Amino acid sequence: MSTMRTRNRFFTGLILTAALLAGTATSAVAAPVVLSSGHVDVIDVDYADGALTVDVLDGTGTTDVERDPADVLFRVPDTAKITVPGGSAWSFLGAGGQAWVLPQASAAGLLYAGWNTTEVPNGVFQNNRVTFKLTNVSGPAGFSVYTVSGGAPTVLFDSGDGLPDSLNVNRNVHAHVNWGFDAAGTYAVTFEITGKLAATGATVSSTKTFTFEVLP
């Protein structure tokens, strides 16, 4: 009889320990940081101590904060919805004549989203540049990144015409662009950032996925 009681206590202890561990694991999963307006560098490229790193530089508050892209949700509100201009140059954008766009110029209530390579030291990479490669987009419709000058768009990335798409970006650049979404829903956008070291010719890289929630 004493053996049975000892066994019961042992198994009860295991169950309680497992429950406590499960509770700890659940509580450790934090909700994402939601960014919905203000300045943000979606792709913030750094190089130090032999490693190329990619973070989100959150400038929406009083102090800039570097965040892991996995911890961030970029929210695109319904006020980002636009009527797509006419003409074949705009055929990459939208569906049914509408799209959601985070603009390259600052606008109230929307994210002013860009990228920067200002922390990449001079002379580290060949040609003093890195390459941004859009490798995958998971979402309800197309995703694009483009600039507009004189009313005409220049498409930098477009998931609608096949991937990957690549863009060479010089060091010490801080740029803002238009981020376009063809429909409401959640998009997981994956970029690979690579650079070829000037000293050795070796390639270093970092791949990150960025999540956008586009509201109807």
Side-chain angles (χ1 to χ4, degrees), residues 113-190:
W115 55 59
N116 87 72
T117 59
T118 58
E119 295 300 316
V120 175
N122 183 37
V124 167
F125 295 115
Q126 292 183 7
N127 301 311
N128 264 329
R129 70 188 187 192
V130 294
T131 299
F132 291 8
K133 182 185 291 185
L134 178 63
T135 60
N136 189 66
V137 174
S138 174
F143 164 79
S144 58
V145 178
Y146 63 98
T147 58
V148 177
S149 178
T154 297
V155 181
L156 306 178
F157 303 98
D158 179 17
S159 70
D161 64 359
L163 295 177
D165 285 346
S166 295
L167 177 71
N168 292 324
V169 179
N170 291 335
R171 67 164 292 274
N172 201 33
V173 165
H174 180 209
H176 284 268
V177 292
N178 300 283
W179 306 73
F181 305 87
D182 291 351
T186 300
Y187 294 74
V189 177
T190 301

Side-chain angles (χ1 to χ4, degrees), residues 6-66:
T6 301
R7 241 180 232 158
N8 285 342
R9 287 195 202 100
F10 174 72
F11 286 116
T12 300
L14 282 179
I15 292 169
L16 287 171
T17 300
L20 287 170
L21 287 173
T24 301
T26 301
S27 63
V29 178
V33 176
V34 178
L35 304 181
S36 59
S37 65
H39 181 275
V40 62
D41 289 328
V42 176
I43 304 174
D44 173 36
V45 184
D46 297 339
Y47 182 85
D49 300 324
L52 186 150
T53 60
V54 176
D55 297 300
V56 173
L57 186 60
D58 175 7
T60 61
T62 55
T63 303
D64 288 351
V65 179
E66 287 188 344

